[in-house]
Amino acid sequence: MKYMLLIYSNPASQEAVAANVDAVMAEVDALMKELNESGEWAGGQALADPASSRTVRVHDGVPAVTDGPFLEAKEHLAGYLIVDCDSVERATEIAARWPDARLCAMEVRPIITDAG
């Protein structure tokens, strides 16, 4: 089963990463190596700053485009991982080991496939 692990961030967590970037990246690199070796890594990317995003809403067939994220919030979606593992418990374990889980939050969500 594939799971998307959504990485959330906020200004405080971004500052914590910046202050400890070498240690954080060492943790990420070790976990990425493990996931690649186990075959559980299926993809992922960091996302650009929310200020560079656009939100699109269509009302009566007319698109309205606004700059910035959908919601005004302190936290924002900062990136995602896709893992292919045997259980939601394993996906949760991986999310708990990702540095952002300690700094802000990680969300674990099953990916719906054509097979259901």
Side-chain angles (χ1 to χ4, degrees), residues 23-102:
V24 170
M25 291 313 298
E27 264 187 274
V28 168
D29 290 344
L31 187 50
M32 291 291 297
K33 181 179 180 200
E34 177 187 324
L35 295 175
N36 276 305
E37 289 174 355
S38 70
E40 293 173 304
W41 176 255
Q45 289 292 156
L47 298 175
D49 186 279
S52 64
S53 67
R54 288 182 163 191
T55 300
V56 179
R57 293 177 180 88
V58 177
H59 298 284
D60 298 322
V62 178
V65 180
T66 56
D67 291 336
F70 174 66
L71 297 173
E72 291 293 325
K74 291 181 183 177
E75 296 175 352
H76 63 271
L77 185 61
Y80 67 94
L81 318 172
I82 298 175
V83 295
D84 191 350
C85 47
D86 293 331
S87 67
V88 68
E89 290 78 18
R90 174 63 180 149
T92 302
E93 175 189 328
I94 294 166
R97 293 175 56 202
W98 202 261
D100 296 271
R102 289 190 314 276

